Amino acid sequence: MVDARPPSTLPVPPPRRPRDPLGRGHGERLRGGGDREGARGRCGCGNPADHDRRWYEHRLGWPTAPGEPLRLRTGVRFDVLDVPARAGFAALGRLGPLSPVAVQGGRMRLFVAPGSAEELPGLLDWLEWGSLALDLAGIGAGGLIDAPPPPATGSGPVRPLPPDHPDRADSDPLAGADRRGPQGAAVWLRPPVPGCEVESSLPTLSALGGGGGAPDLVRLLGTVATACHRVRLWRASALPPAGAPGFSPVARRDGGKRP
């Protein structure tokens, strides 16, 4: 049946509320809240540590150690090269775009293929760096590292700013890192991406022949060792001369000896 009322008497529907073009919860994200807490609520984890553990174990398949703080087991899905942050920053170009990198304090942790830590002494000797005391360590089978908080839901990987970016301070090698969490806590500079084959992005010794898409562990290690040596020389040159205020014979003996 057709409504015969004049047009002026027809009911007018109320105006619709305009949709948020940036998506629901955008305001919370701008205020720094919401996303991680919302993810915890959706997964039913009341404890933040439980949510983080689920993210590592279920979404990445990375084993964790029991107890708190949450720690990751090395030597199973990955090994780690632990280096000074400045030395690690110089080697980022040797990594693939999906190679995970974490930072904690003044240290950088480069994730490499399992078994790499065991090969480290022999590779350093082969590269003629074995006779020097480099501030470089491999963490492999049986090791543990602090687990950085998972990246915020929907934020995507956190990448360092390029060297020519105007917002990047050249004095800060960790510019672009995920700054959430207390000072000194482990954070992601390049987080792993769930759903991707993380292991294929890890530097490995088998990439030496140029096969596959994995980064070359030998080239990475050569770059890292050179950068560690430069950091060592820079620290030594920064020591005050003998007899000056702040001079320490122990510091000069341990850090100021040049090869």
Side-chain angles (χ1 to χ4, degrees):
M1 179 177 180
V2 179
D3 194 337
R5 286 180 295 176
S8 59
T9 63
L10 292 176
V12 179
R16 293 183 179 182
R17 183 177 179 180
R19 296 180 60 186
D20 182 359
L22 297 178
R24 189 175 182 181
H26 175 69
E28 289 185 356
R29 289 194 292 273
L30 288 180
R31 292 190 294 270
D35 270 357
R36 269 185 88 208
E37 298 301 326
R40 287 170 183 153
R42 287 190 296 273
C43 77
C45 303
N47 186 348
D50 290 342
H51 167 266
D52 294 353
R53 190 181 302 277
R54 278 175 169 265
W55 189 83
Y56 281 110
E57 292 185 347
H58 295 178
R59 299 199 65 188
L60 292 179
W62 289 5
T64 64
E68 295 186 16
L70 179 61
R71 292 178 294 177
L72 304 175
R73 295 186 183 275
T74 58
V76 181
R77 302 294 298 273
F78 58 82
D79 284 0
V80 168
L81 294 182
D82 183 83
V83 302
R86 290 186 179 276
F89 185 77
L92 291 181
R94 293 291 188 186
L95 301 174
L98 297 180
S99 300
V101 179
V103 292
Q104 185 170 17
R107 309 291 297 180
M108 183 176 291
R109 288 167 179 166
L110 309 175
F111 285 58
V112 294
S116 299
E118 185 178 356
E119 301 287 346
L120 184 60
L123 289 176
L124 288 175
D125 286 339
W126 186 71
L127 292 168
E128 300 184 351
W129 286 109
S131 61
L132 298 180
L134 300 175
D135 190 6
L136 165 63
I139 308 175
L144 298 171
I145 61 169
D146 290 348
T153 303
S155 66
V158 179
R159 304 297 188 199
L161 296 175
D164 57 348
H165 196 285
D167 293 338
R168 205 195 98 190
D170 289 338
S171 60
D172 183 6
L174 305 184
D178 184 348
R179 299 292 186 178
R180 290 169 298 130
Q183 185 176 6
V187 295
W188 284 115
L189 180 63
R190 294 182 180 180
V193 180
C196 298
E197 192 65 30
V198 176
E199 281 72 15
S200 65
S201 69
L202 300 179
T204 176
L205 190 59
S206 62
L208 181 61
D216 183 358
L217 177 64
V218 175
R219 290 189 175 93
L220 171 66
L221 190 57
T223 301
V224 169
T226 301
C228 285
H229 183 55
R230 288 174 178 168
V231 170
R232 176 174 175 265
L233 295 180
W234 174 78
R235 288 173 177 171
S237 65
L239 291 174
F247 169 74
S248 169
V250 175
R252 179 166 291 277
R253 182 193 65 202
D254 293 343
K257 187 184 297 183
R258 301 185 183 227

